[in-house]
CSV table of all heavy atoms in Angstrom, one decimal:
chain,number,residue,atom,x,y,z
A,394,VAL,N,78.9,116.1,98.9
A,394,VAL,CA,80.1,115.3,98.7
A,394,VAL,C,80.6,115.7,97.2
A,394,VAL,O,81.7,115.8,96.8
A,394,VAL,CB,79.9,113.6,98.8
A,394,VAL,CG1,81.0,113.0,98.3
A,394,VAL,CG2,79.7,113.4,100.2
A,395,LYS,N,79.5,115.6,96.3
A,395,LYS,CA,79.8,116.1,95.0
A,395,LYS,C,80.4,117.4,94.9
A,395,LYS,O,81.4,117.8,94.2
A,395,LYS,CB,78.5,116.1,94.1
A,395,LYS,CG,78.7,116.4,92.6
A,395,LYS,CD,77.5,116.1,91.8
A,395,LYS,CE,77.7,116.1,90.3
A,395,LYS,NZ,76.6,115.7,89.6
A,396,LYS,N,79.9,118.4,95.6
A,396,LYS,CA,80.5,119.8,95.7
A,396,LYS,C,82.0,119.7,96.1
A,396,LYS,O,82.8,120.5,95.6
A,396,LYS,CB,79.7,120.7,96.5
A,396,LYS,CG,78.4,121.1,96.0
A,396,LYS,CD,77.5,121.9,96.9
A,396,LYS,CE,76.2,122.3,96.4
A,396,LYS,NZ,75.4,122.9,97.4
A,397,LYS,N,82.2,118.9,97.1
A,397,LYS,CA,83.6,118.9,97.6
A,397,LYS,C,84.6,118.3,96.8
A,397,LYS,O,85.5,118.8,96.5
A,397,LYS,CB,83.6,117.9,99.0
A,397,LYS,CG,83.0,118.6,100.2
A,397,LYS,CD,83.2,117.7,101.4
A,397,LYS,CE,82.5,118.2,102.7
A,397,LYS,NZ,82.5,117.4,103.8
A,398,LEU,N,84.1,117.3,96.0
A,398,LEU,CA,84.9,116.7,95.0
A,398,LEU,C,85.2,117.7,93.8
A,398,LEU,O,86.3,117.7,93.2
A,398,LEU,CB,84.3,115.3,94.5
A,398,LEU,CG,84.3,114.2,95.4
A,398,LEU,CD1,83.6,113.1,94.9
A,398,LEU,CD2,85.6,113.9,96.0
A,399,LEU,N,84.1,118.3,93.3
A,399,LEU,CA,84.3,119.3,92.4
A,399,LEU,C,85.2,120.4,92.8
A,399,LEU,O,85.9,121.0,91.9
A,399,LEU,CB,83.0,119.9,91.9
A,399,LEU,CG,82.0,118.8,91.1
A,399,LEU,CD1,80.6,119.3,90.9
A,399,LEU,CD2,82.7,118.3,89.8
A,400,LYS,N,85.1,120.9,94.0
A,400,LYS,CA,85.9,121.9,94.6
A,400,LYS,C,87.4,121.4,94.6
A,400,LYS,O,88.2,122.2,94.4
A,400,LYS,CB,85.4,122.3,95.9
A,400,LYS,CG,84.3,123.2,95.9
A,400,LYS,CD,83.9,123.7,97.4
A,400,LYS,CE,82.6,124.5,97.3
A,400,LYS,NZ,82.1,124.8,98.6
A,401,THR,N,87.6,120.2,94.9
A,401,THR,CA,89.0,119.7,94.8
A,401,THR,C,89.6,119.8,93.6
A,401,THR,O,90.8,120.2,93.4
A,401,THR,CB,88.8,118.1,95.3
A,401,THR,OG1,88.4,117.9,96.6
A,401,THR,CG2,90.3,117.5,95.2
A,402,GLU,N,88.8,119.6,92.5
A,402,GLU,CA,89.3,119.9,91.1
A,402,GLU,C,89.1,121.4,90.5
A,402,GLU,O,89.4,121.6,89.4
A,402,GLU,CB,88.6,118.9,90.2
A,402,GLU,CG,88.8,117.5,90.6
A,402,GLU,CD,88.2,116.5,89.6
A,402,GLU,OE1,88.1,116.7,88.5
A,402,GLU,OE2,87.9,115.3,90.0
A,403,ASN,N,88.7,122.2,91.4
A,403,ASN,CA,88.7,123.6,91.1
A,403,ASN,C,87.6,123.8,89.9
A,403,ASN,O,87.7,124.8,89.1
A,403,ASN,CB,90.0,124.3,90.7
A,403,ASN,CG,91.0,124.3,91.8
A,403,ASN,OD1,90.5,124.7,93.0
A,403,ASN,ND2,92.1,124.1,91.6
A,404,ILE,N,86.6,122.9,89.9
A,404,ILE,CA,85.5,123.0,89.0
A,404,ILE,C,84.5,124.1,89.4
A,404,ILE,O,83.9,124.9,88.7
A,404,ILE,CB,84.8,121.6,88.6
A,404,ILE,CG1,86.0,120.7,88.0
A,404,ILE,CG2,83.7,121.7,87.8
A,404,ILE,CD1,85.5,119.2,87.8
A,405,ILE,N,84.2,124.0,90.7
A,405,ILE,CA,83.2,125.0,91.3
A,405,ILE,C,84.1,125.9,92.4
A,405,ILE,O,85.0,125.4,92.9
A,405,ILE,CB,82.0,124.5,91.8
A,405,ILE,CG1,82.3,123.4,92.9
A,405,ILE,CG2,81.2,123.8,90.8
A,405,ILE,CD1,81.1,123.0,93.7
Side-chain angles (χ1 to χ4, degrees):
V394 173
K395 185 171 188 167
K396 287 177 185 176
K397 285 180 184 179
L398 295 174
L399 294 174
K400 284 179 183 176
T401 297
E402 299 184 28
N403 297 316
I404 294 172
I405 61 171

